Amino acid sequence: MISAILLAAGASRRMGEQNKLLLPFRNTTLLGNAVTSLCNSDADEVIVVLGHEAEQVRAALPEGRFRVVENPDFAQGMTTSIRAGIRAASPQAEGLMICLSDLPFVEPSDYNDLLNAFRTARVEDDHAIVRPVHQGRPGNPVLFSSEYRPLLLAHEKLEGCRGLMQQHPAHVREVEMTTDHVLQDLDTPEQYGTVC
């Protein structure tokens, strides 16, 4: 079983006044697109972590097979949202896929390629970590074996889990992706303007 944790709690300050997750994209919103893609993947459960403007964001969520958890500490950094999602994940989860909601081009097939790679890697290494790369550049989402759950919950660095991967390089499996979907995040009005 693999739990997908979609981080949707940040204030997206670089995008300006408007919450970027609520910006129009593909007949929905950036967040709606991300949620739908994950729900159409082979992830066993999907957890959406809210924080900034949680009520407005919750109201904009599409229908789907996901659960919502709110992170009251979201302003302290991304790691607090990762912890909130992991606490909400099923105890039966053998893998935790940490997903970003501002990667609008990641398709269900991209998620499935990573999920399949993780399932294969875990057979050989119960501490496997799987991350996508495209032409040498690392992207997201990253999948962690459940053995890292205590370390993820105790992780103090506030900007994600890069440090945890650096501490366990022998367990990191890189999956070469055929597209750059896993790299294309939208952080600024200029980036958004080039795709919408």
Side-chain angles (χ1 to χ4, degrees):
M1 177 178 182
I2 300 176
S3 298
I5 297 165
L6 182 65
L7 306 180
S12 60
R13 290 185 183 88
R14 283 185 284 172
M15 189 61 77
E17 293 298 313
Q18 187 171 359
N19 188 329
K20 72 177 173 184
L21 300 182
L22 304 180
L23 290 170
F25 186 80
R26 290 182 179 171
N27 300 315
T28 177
T29 60
L30 282 175
L31 179 58
N33 178 73
V35 170
T36 300
S37 289
L38 260 182
C39 289
N40 288 335
S41 78
D42 295 334
D44 297 289
E45 75 170 349
V46 177
I47 297 164
V48 181
V49 183
L50 304 184
H52 177 66
E53 297 182 350
E55 287 186 22
Q56 298 96 306
V57 175
R58 185 191 291 266
L61 285 168
E63 295 293 319
R65 56 172 192 94
F66 60 86
R67 291 188 292 121
V68 173
V69 60
E70 288 193 31
N71 171 24
D73 302 319
F74 72 90
Q76 296 177 23
M78 183 190 295
T79 300
T80 64
S81 294
I82 293 171
R83 289 197 294 251
I86 289 172
R87 284 194 294 268
S90 168
Q92 279 74 50
E94 294 183 60
L96 302 160
M97 182 165 66
I98 311 300
C99 307
L100 306 182
S101 53
D102 63 354
L103 287 166
F105 302 107
V106 179
E107 302 288 347
S109 59
D110 297 317
Y111 288 123
N112 289 343
D113 287 345
L114 292 167
L115 291 164
N116 290 335
F118 176 81
R119 291 183 174 110
T120 299
R122 189 169 163 81
V123 171
E124 303 166 3
D125 178 6
D126 61 8
H127 284 72
I129 300 171
V130 165
R131 76 170 176 185
V133 297
H134 179 70
Q135 297 180 355
R137 295 175 59 198
N140 284 288
V142 176
L143 293 92
F144 292 90
S145 292
S146 58
E147 279 71 19
Y148 295 99
R149 187 188 292 245
L151 290 175
L152 288 163
L153 289 172
H155 197 54
E156 291 300 322
K157 294 198 181 283
L158 295 178
E159 292 309 316
C161 299
R162 189 177 300 132
L164 196 58
M165 286 187 281
Q166 292 169 346
Q167 292 167 21
H168 302 275
H171 299 290
V172 176
R173 308 287 182 94
E174 294 188 337
V175 178
E176 182 65 37
M177 307 299 285
T178 58
T179 71
D180 64 354
H181 296 167
V182 296
L183 306 178
Q184 288 196 54
D185 59 343
L186 297 182
D187 288 324
T188 67
E190 292 75 23
Q191 289 172 330
Y192 176 70
T194 63
V195 300
C196 294

